[in-house]
Amino acid sequence: MSTNIRLAKNCEFCGKDFIAKTTVTKYCGDPCAKKAYKARKRNEKIGSAKKENRRIFPKPAEGHLETIQGKDFLTISEVAILLRLSKPTIYRLIKDGNLKAAKFSQRSTRIRRSDIDNLFKNEK
C-alpha cells in the first residue's frame, strides 16, 4: 500500500525542513536518525552513571543525620554518610590504620564516634 501523504516537517536533529511521507517521521534522513540515536544512547549512559554516583554517595534522610551524630558506636554505612565518603574508602581508612574499628563478626564492624573525631584532630 502506498500513501499520498506529504507533510512539511522540521528535522528534530539538524533543524532543516523536509517533506515527510508519514506522520511519524522525525528526521530528514538516515544520517540524522543515526546521529540522534547515538546522542540518545550517550545521554542514557550519562544518566545511568549519575544514578550510580547517587547510589554510592547517598544523601542522608532528613533527621537521620542527627540520629547518627547522637550515637557512640557507628556502622560502616553510618560513618560513610556522616563523612560523605564511600564505604570502600572507610574500609581503606581502617585497613591503613587511620581509623580504629572493632570487628565483632564478619558482618558486624563498629567505629567509635571519638575515633572519628580524633581522625580530624591528628591532621598536620
Side-chain angles (χ1 to χ4, degrees):
M1 294 199 325
S2 72
T3 179
N4 291 330
I5 297 174
R6 301 290 185 258
L7 298 172
K9 285 197 166 192
N10 195 1
C11 179
E12 289 184 10
F13 186 75
C14 68
K16 292 180 183 177
D17 292 329
F18 69 99
I19 303 295
K21 294 181 182 178
T22 66
T23 58
V24 294
T25 304
K26 296 179 182 181
Y27 308 107
C28 60
D30 195 46
C32 282
K34 287 179 180 179
K35 289 175 186 175
Y37 174 78
K38 279 186 162 184
R40 208 169 41 249
K41 289 299 178 181
R42 184 173 33 253
N43 289 336
E44 286 175 11
K45 284 184 181 181
I46 291 170
S48 66
K50 286 180 181 178
K51 285 181 185 177
E52 181 70 21
N53 194 21
R54 281 189 229 119
R55 189 177 61 83
I56 292 173
F57 300 106
K59 290 185 179 179
E62 215 37 63
H64 186 63
L65 194 57
E66 289 80 19
T67 307
I68 291 173
Q69 289 173 340
K71 291 183 178 181
D72 290 332
F73 297 94
L74 303 171
T75 64
I76 298 293
S77 298
E78 291 170 338
V79 173
I81 290 171
L82 185 65
L83 298 179
R84 300 281 295 159
L85 297 170
S86 65
K87 290 185 350 183
T89 302
I90 301 301
Y91 282 114
R92 190 170 37 256
L93 286 171
I94 294 169
K95 181 181 174 188
D96 293 344
N98 295 328
L99 187 60
K100 293 180 184 176
K103 192 168 187 178
F104 298 109
S105 67
Q106 187 174 4
R107 293 179 177 242
S108 179
T109 304
R110 298 292 183 263
I111 300 168
R112 267 189 293 187
R113 175 66 189 201
S114 59
D115 290 335
I116 295 171
D117 295 335
N118 290 336
L119 181 68
F120 294 104
K121 289 178 184 176
N122 294 335
E123 290 291 322
K124 293 180 182 178

